[in-house]
Each structure stands twice: as C-alpha cells, then as structure tokens.
Amino acid sequence: MKGIFTLKVSSDCLKAVLDKLNIPESEKAYSKADLIRFIEEEGVTFGLNDKLINEICDFPNKLCFPLVIAEGIPAKDGMDAYLVKEEYSKQSGRRNRLNYLNDSYTSKVDNGSIIATVIPATPGFDGMNVYGETIRPKPGGDLKIEPGKNVIRHQQQFFSLIDGEISLTDKFLSVNPVHIVEGDLVPANGKLQFNGNVIITGNVSTGCQIEAEGDIKIYGMVENSTLLAEGNIIISGGISGGNSGLITAKGNINVNYLNQAIVKAGENVYVHKSILHSDVEAKGSILSHQAVVIGGSLSSRVSIHVKDAGNHSFTNTVFNLLEVQDESSRLNDINEELIKLNVLINKLIKLEEKSHKAASVTGRLSEKQRHLLMKQKTTKQHLLSQISKLTDEHNRLKGEIQSHKNVCLYVYGSIYPHVKVNFGKYAKNFKQKHKQVKVFFYNREFVVQAINVQTNQT
C-alpha cells in the first residue's frame, strides 16, 4: 500500500488525509485489511471512516483523491465563571446573565438583597486526535469580578449592603447611592461631586464638571465638559466636545456618538454610530462595529472594532495598537519579589527545623527560644500572605499580557487611504482601499488579513 497511497495528518492532528500516488490505475480492488493496516502503521487509529474505506477498496478508480480518511474529536474548552441576576426574566423564564451593557442603566437593589449568583467555571470535555491520544481542554477561568463598595460575597452569592443602584465593571460589582439631576446640567450649578452614581435626565452643557465615585449616567448629550467616574460612564446621546473637556472612566464608557471628543476608559469603550475627529483610548477594547471613524486617533491594548476607517476624502485617521510595557515591567518586579520572599521563607523553615531539633535533644524549648519561634512563625505567615497576593497578581497580569499579545484592528466595512496604524515604533500607512480586514503586528511586520464579517461581528 505504501507504493499506492500516502497519508498526511493535519497540524492539529484532527484530520488524516489519504492521497493516491500518480501510478498506472489498477482495475482490481484493494484489500480492506491491507488498507487499514497501512493506515494504522502510519499511527492513525481513531476516527476512521469505515464507509469510505469500503468504497476505496471496492471502487478505487471512481473516487476523487485526496480524501479525509479519519477525523478526531476536538476538545471542548470549559466555560468561564459568570454572574446571573437573581430575578427571573419573564421572556425567557430563567435568570439572565448580569451584563454591563444591559444592567448598568437602571438596576435598583434593596439593602440585604441578593444581587447576583456565581455560575462556576466548567472544566470542559476531552477530545481525541486521530492517533488515539486524548486532547485536554482548557478549563474555564474563575470569576474575576470581586465585591466592590457596599457589596459582600458569601459563598456563591453577592449581597447588597444598602439601597442603591448596581455599578458593574470587569473587576468590581458595587452598589452605590444615587444623586439625580432632573433636566439639564448647566455651569451655574457648579462642580458636581457625589460619593455614588450620578444621573442627569437631560443634557450636560459646556463648562460643567462631574465627579462620581460610582457611575455617571446621562440621558441627553454632553458638550465640552469634564466627566470623571470611578465606575462607568453611560451617555444615551453623544458627545460634542469641541476638542475640549475630558471624559474619563475607570470602568467602561458607552456612548451613541463622538464628535471632537477626548475619551479615556480603564476598560472598554462602546460607540454605536460614529467617531469623528476624536481621541479615544481604552485599556480594554474599542467596540464600535457599526461606527464610521473619520479623523482623530483610537488607541487600545486589546482590540479595535469599527465599520469604516477613514473616508473617500482621505482624512488622516490613526489607530494605535498599544504594547503592554507597564504590565510586563510589573511582572518582572513581581518575579524578583517572589524570589526574595521564597529565599526568606526557606531561611525561616531551616531556623524552625533547627529549633525543633534542639527541643528534641533538651526535651523542651527555653523561654527565649519559644519567643523566637513564635516570632518566626508570625513572620512566616506574613511572608506566605505576601507570596499569595503576589502570585494572584502575577497570574492576573500574565493573563492580561497573553490576551494583549495580538492586539488587532478589525474593519468590517472599508479601510481607506491615509489611515495609519501604529504599533510601538512601527507604522503602516494605507495607500489603497481594503474591505473587511483584520490588521495586526506579527514578526516585525504588519499583517492585513481578510475576515468573515458574520463570524467576527459580535
């Protein structure tokens, strides 16, 4: 059979492809036992297509080669832990997932009530490659959201400690008191500061300043003003900034449109219609699948999603794919700290062993030895606590760096000439129009890759 067929296995070991060599065709049928023996001698033992093998053996000259003769079963990765709301949805008849986009607008809770329940991560399901080897799945990650202000967690549930409104970010679930301004906010009202959520039912006029330790929610539009939020900023209208003022949130920013605005988010930025001559920076992603981006600059450490980049007038438009230098530097610092702490722990363990050995000889510890041993144990516990915290931070940063490794620009419509994409000291200037592409930096060069719009717009 080796002189008649060749067998190639895909790089992921999930497919084995049988091809026929270019030799004079034989009219006689092949032996099924011989063909299976040839396949198994190549190491392929799982997922064989028995029906196709019969057809090859019975009618070898009527089939069009190459043929997929065996297929494995891919592993199914586990699902990350997530939060569900306690109240049931009337439409679905079940508890819905707690979601920033849906639940940061109007989510009132009472003191002592259960806000949300943790649905634990799942381990996933094993797969099997064509060599009969088990493929291990990637287990789901633990919940990254921690209790924030006025919230406690008991086992798998989050409880509110006050009457207030939910503030949900990628890191914290909080409940804040609420301050409501009916109608428009004007400069005559002065600087508005509040230890909680701020709601403006109208517009925010030029020259206003709002600072909130929770979310800022505005049901109208915002002119060139300053908004600072420890949580999220949600604007039902848009921002016409006049290249002045500043919109900053440690959480997410969600807005209908941006026009000459300056926007910075500690997490994601969501823009639904257009981004015109604005400067937008997100530590997370910029999610603007339906937005046209003309002029200004967009910067992200994870991904940027837009409909169109630039325009027919070839307006200069810049996209910055940011490197994660500060996290990498902190990761190195943590590694050095962990090495030093582990050295100290080992020294304390040796001293502890020495004290116990001395006690076994004398039969007891002196008062001074006992005091020294207690001091060593306290120091050891403190060091172990530090190691635990640094290890958690190390794992978190490592995950963030991994997710930021291939920061990409996705364009679901058109990218026009005079659009510039930067990655560190490298830059790419587009000189011709492209449609539906993904742009990323790999191996010291920019890659422009076609995308399937249906599978990438989420």
Side-chain angles (χ1 to χ4, degrees):
M1 287 291 173
K2 282 190 177 181
I4 302 171
F5 296 106
T6 61
L7 191 69
K8 291 184 179 179
V9 176
S10 60
S11 58
D12 60 7
C13 301
L14 286 172
K15 282 186 181 180
V17 178
L18 187 72
D19 204 356
K20 193 176 179 185
L21 295 173
N22 189 19
I23 58 173
E25 294 182 352
S26 171
E27 293 183 1
K28 69 175 185 177
Y30 301 117
S31 162
K32 182 178 179 181
D34 288 343
L35 181 55
I36 291 176
R37 189 180 301 110
F38 163 71
I39 294 169
E40 290 181 346
E41 282 174 355
E42 296 294 316
V44 175
T45 58
F46 180 80
L48 296 177
N49 187 331
D50 193 63
K51 182 181 176 183
L52 185 58
I53 289 172
N54 285 330
E55 290 178 8
I56 292 169
C57 293
D58 294 338
F59 311 104
N61 300 320
K62 292 184 179 180
L63 298 173
C64 185
F65 289 85
L67 298 165
V68 177
I69 202 69
E71 287 190 80
I73 300 171
K76 186 176 180 181
D77 289 342
M79 186 171 59
D80 291 344
Y82 63 95
L83 291 172
V84 294
K85 294 183 286 186
E86 275 307 299
E87 64 268 20
Y88 283 80
S89 166
K90 291 180 181 178
Q91 285 98 350
S92 64
R94 58 185 174 81
R95 291 179 296 175
N96 288 333
R97 190 167 183 153
L98 192 65
N99 181 280
Y100 155 71
L101 286 175
N102 298 330
D103 299 299
S104 286
Y105 286 91
T106 51
S107 293
K108 293 182 179 178
V109 292
D110 299 325
N111 184 4
S113 64
I114 302 171
I115 309 168
T117 299
V118 180
I119 302 301
T122 59
F125 297 94
D126 288 347
M128 185 78 72
N129 66 26
V130 294
Y131 295 121
E133 299 167 337
T134 301
I135 305 171
R136 300 298 180 192
K138 179 183 176 183
D142 292 332
L143 188 74
K144 295 178 181 178
I145 298 170
E146 297 180 0
K149 292 178 181 177
N150 305 311
V151 171
I152 59 169
R153 177 176 174 176
H154 177 64
Q155 295 180 348
Q156 301 289 24
Q157 292 180 315
F158 286 74
F159 293 81
S160 175
L161 298 177
I162 63 167
D163 295 338
E165 278 194 356
I166 288 175
S167 174
L168 177 65
T169 70
D170 290 346
K171 296 177 182 176
F172 298 103
L173 174 59
S174 305
V175 174
N176 297 313
V178 184
H179 176 78
I180 300 175
V181 176
E182 298 288 353
D184 297 342
L185 183 70
V186 296
N189 294 345
K191 180 180 176 182
L192 175 55
Q193 288 181 294
F194 186 67
N195 182 22
N197 291 2
V198 172
I199 297 176
I200 312 294
T201 64
N203 302 314
V204 176
S205 303
T206 296
C208 290
Q209 185 170 341
I210 305 172
E211 293 184 16
E213 291 193 16
D215 295 349
I216 296 175
K217 305 175 188 180
I218 297 162
Y219 290 95
M221 64 162 289
V222 176
E223 294 178 346
N224 51 324
S225 298
T226 300
L227 274 59
L228 306 171
E230 292 290 315
N232 309 301
I233 294 178
I234 303 157
I235 301 171
S236 298
I239 302 172
S240 294
N243 292 319
S244 181
L246 177 64
I247 311 298
T248 304
K250 286 190 177 179
N252 302 282
I253 294 176
N254 192 334
V255 63
N256 206 24
Y257 67 85
L258 296 174
N259 185 6
Q260 295 182 322
I262 303 170
V263 170
K264 293 183 179 181
E267 293 177 6
N268 302 320
V269 173
Y270 301 82
V271 184
H272 304 287
K273 288 188 177 178
S274 60
I275 304 175
L276 307 177
H277 306 286
S278 297
D279 292 330
V280 183
E281 184 177 333
K283 285 190 175 180
S285 294
I286 299 175
L287 301 163
S288 309
H289 294 77
Q290 301 301 321
V292 174
V293 181
I294 301 172
S297 68
L298 274 64
S299 306
S300 169
R301 300 183 181 193
V302 181
S303 62
I304 303 174
H305 301 255
V306 303
K307 183 181 179 183
D308 292 328
N311 62 359
H312 292 287
S313 301
F314 304 152
T315 303
N316 289 324
T317 307
V318 178
F319 295 89
N320 298 307
L321 308 179
L322 301 176
E323 296 180 90
V324 199
Q325 294 176 336
D326 51 348
E327 276 90 345
S328 297
S329 175
R330 175 61 184 148
L331 199 61
N332 290 332
D333 291 342
I334 289 173
N335 283 330
E336 289 180 9
E337 287 182 59
L338 285 171
I339 290 169
K340 290 176 183 177
L341 289 171
N342 280 307
V343 168
L344 290 173
I345 285 284
N346 288 330
K347 285 182 179 178
L348 287 171
I349 290 171
K350 287 178 181 178
L351 287 171
E352 194 175 332
E353 288 174 352
K354 193 174 180 181
S355 297
H356 285 302
K357 188 179 277 187
S360 65
V361 173
T362 61
R364 65 184 183 85
L365 289 171
S366 67
E367 191 63 33
K368 185 179 178 181
Q369 288 174 321
R370 193 178 294 110
H371 177 73
L372 183 62
L373 188 60
M374 289 298 295
K375 192 176 179 180
Q376 289 170 355
K377 284 183 177 179
T378 303
T379 304
K380 182 182 170 184
Q381 289 300 320
H382 177 67
L383 292 175
L384 287 171
S385 176
Q386 282 185 285
I387 288 172
S388 177
K389 287 178 182 178
L390 286 170
T391 302
D392 288 344
E393 187 181 357
H394 178 278
N395 293 336
R396 180 182 61 79
L397 287 174
K398 194 173 179 181
E400 286 184 13
I401 290 169
Q402 191 64 36
S403 68
H404 297 168
K405 255 186 177 180
N406 296 317
V407 54
C408 300
L409 165 64
Y410 294 86
V411 180
Y412 300 106
S414 299
I415 186 166
Y416 292 88
H418 283 222
V419 167
K420 183 180 180 183
V421 181
N422 296 317
F423 182 84
K425 64 181 180 181
Y426 301 93
K428 177 174 179 60
N429 291 288
F430 280 83
K431 296 179 181 178
Q432 60 183 17
K433 182 179 175 181
H434 294 265
K435 285 190 174 182
Q436 298 172 2
V437 293
K438 169 184 175 182
V439 184
F440 58 98
F441 191 79
Y442 178 74
N443 200 21
R444 295 192 177 183
E445 65 179 9
F446 283 93
V447 179
V448 181
Q449 194 176 84
I451 58 172
N452 184 327
V453 172
Q454 288 184 340
T455 58
N456 283 278
Q457 283 198 46
T458 54

